[in-house]
């Protein structure tokens, strides 16, 4: 039996385990520096920065979706930005990822959001196939830009 529910602070250890498993799947096993304290602060602290859903399958946590709001200046409305979607390997192929996406779509529609967006690695063919099957479009004209670490600090110093 599959159920999707809002994550609670008690789910933080499971969410962090899933984040580590996702990083390994995405070929970056040593990249995670997040801690349980970080997730508690940013998910359930005084200024929540994200929301998460947990997929339970036969009473066991099977996956999660972590998301936050974005804003479209062109549409004049917020949207939902999916940061991570993960289903534990032993339970893939049971519709859990699709159910998490469907729940996020329902939340977006309920909130009047014009869109739900996320990124996918170009080599992740199984995920891309699922996303295309549910009607998602790959936006090939856009590229992700990122400043981090030292580059971020160097640019920030220009504000003096």
């Amino acid at each position: 039996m599959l159920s999707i529910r809002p994550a609670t602070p008690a789910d933080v250890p499971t969410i962090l385990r899933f984040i580590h498993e996702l990083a390994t799947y995405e070929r970056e096993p040593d990249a995670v520096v997040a801690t349980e304290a970080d997730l508690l602060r940013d998910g359930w602290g005084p200024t929540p920065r994200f929301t998460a859903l947990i997929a339970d399958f036969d009473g066991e946590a099977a996956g999660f979706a972590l998301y936050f709001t974005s804003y479209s200046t062109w549409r004049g409305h917020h949207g939902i930005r999916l940061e991570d979607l993960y289903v534990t390997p032993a339970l893939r192929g049971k519709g859990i990822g699709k159910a998490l996406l469907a729940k996020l779509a329902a939340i977006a529609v309920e909130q009047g959001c014009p869109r739900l967006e996320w990124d996918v690695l170009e080599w992740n063919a199984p995920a891309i196939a699922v996303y295309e099957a549910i009607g998602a479009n790959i936006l090939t004209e856009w590229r992700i830009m990122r400043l981090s670490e030292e580059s971020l600090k160097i640019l920030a110093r220009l504000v003096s």
Side-chain angles (χ1 to χ4, degrees):
M1 170 76 94
L2 174 63
S3 66
I4 308 292
R5 62 177 174 79
T8 69
D11 293 309
V12 165
T14 300
I15 292 170
L16 187 58
R17 176 173 54 86
F18 284 158
I19 290 169
H20 280 279
E21 290 175 14
L22 177 60
T24 298
Y25 176 76
E26 292 185 350
R27 305 173 185 166
E28 296 276 350
D30 300 320
V32 177
V33 296
T35 66
E36 288 183 17
D38 295 331
L39 297 176
L40 282 168
R41 176 195 66 227
D42 293 337
W44 293 271
T47 307
R49 305 292 185 191
F50 70 83
T51 304
L53 299 172
I54 297 290
D56 290 316
F57 189 81
D58 289 340
E60 182 178 332
F64 82 114
L66 188 144
Y67 64 99
F68 52 91
T69 59
S70 59
Y71 193 82
S72 171
T73 56
W74 289 11
R75 301 297 299 263
H77 203 285
H78 78 282
I80 290 180
R81 178 79 182 164
L82 174 60
E83 176 67 16
D84 284 331
L85 176 71
Y86 178 76
V87 175
T88 194
L91 296 173
R92 290 184 187 150
K94 298 184 180 303
I96 296 168
K98 185 176 179 180
L100 283 163
L101 285 168
K103 180 63 175 177
L104 281 175
I107 291 167
V109 168
E110 178 183 297
Q111 294 181 10
C113 298
R115 59 187 176 206
L116 166 61
E117 296 180 312
W118 64 94
D119 301 321
V120 61
L121 290 164
E122 65 183 357
W123 55 259
N124 194 346
I128 291 169
V130 169
Y131 301 154
E132 289 179 331
I134 63 169
N137 298 311
I138 296 176
L139 304 178
T140 58
E141 295 177 5
W142 291 85
R143 296 291 182 259
I144 298 168
M145 302 300 297
R146 179 177 293 155
L147 279 172
S148 59
E149 307 294 331
E150 196 57 32
S151 296
L152 179 64
K153 292 174 186 173
I154 289 169
L155 183 60
R157 285 194 287 259
L158 297 179
V159 178
S160 42

